[in-house]
Amino acid sequence: MNNMIKPLLIVLLSVFSIIGCSEDTKIWNGQSENWNATFQGDGVFTIRYIGDEVSVENISFLFNTDTGLKADGNFEDLGSRNLIKAQVVTDNVISNGPILLTIEWNNKKEELTLE
């Protein structure tokens, strides 16, 4: 009987560790005329400028979710990669629905809905 319990315990522990280590893989995506954004369930978000302007400056952004999560930031410029990448750390659910991103730059403003 003892010989059967050890393999069963190993299998059960493996299953529990896999379940415990899995993370929310939900990904929200959205695009506007000048921006492309992705927000992942683990809190990592990427905002990429896809417009034609050579100089993108004075960038501010705000993510709003239906769970009340807000993530915002300000940058003087995007640098040569035209990219903002960061992570929100929270124990709460990121969102149960779409995420709204408001972004301003060069005295312009766009809103994206990430679904």
Side-chain angles (χ1 to χ4, degrees):
M1 177 112 165
N2 194 17
N3 291 342
M4 292 177 54
I5 293 176
K6 282 184 181 179
L8 181 60
L9 275 175
I10 291 172
V11 169
L12 286 175
L13 288 174
S14 297
V15 168
F16 287 134
S17 66
I18 290 171
I19 292 171
C21 292
S22 68
E23 57 184 48
D24 187 0
T25 57
K26 170 73 175 158
I27 298 176
W28 294 265
N29 293 297
Q31 186 169 320
S32 66
E33 183 179 341
N34 293 290
W35 298 92
N36 182 300
T38 301
F39 207 118
Q40 298 178 40
D42 61 1
V44 173
F45 63 86
T46 305
I47 305 170
R48 181 179 301 277
Y49 180 71
I50 57 173
D52 296 329
E53 295 178 55
V54 175
S55 178
V56 180
E57 299 176 330
N58 302 316
I59 304 105
S60 65
F61 65 88
L62 172 64
F63 285 100
N64 278 303
T65 74
D66 63 352
T67 60
L69 177 72
K70 294 182 185 292
D72 64 345
N74 298 293
F75 293 86
E76 286 184 29
D77 62 51
L78 292 177
S80 62
R81 296 182 64 201
N82 287 338
L83 180 72
I84 298 168
K85 186 169 186 173
Q87 183 169 13
V88 174
V89 178
T90 181
D91 290 334
N92 299 326
V93 173
I94 299 290
S95 183
N96 295 311
I99 299 174
L100 179 63
L101 168 61
T102 304
I103 189 158
E104 297 182 32
W105 79 104
N106 296 357
N107 296 317
K108 297 177 183 175
K109 181 178 178 178
E110 286 185 4
E111 291 188 347
L112 293 79
T113 301
L114 284 66
E115 299 182 286

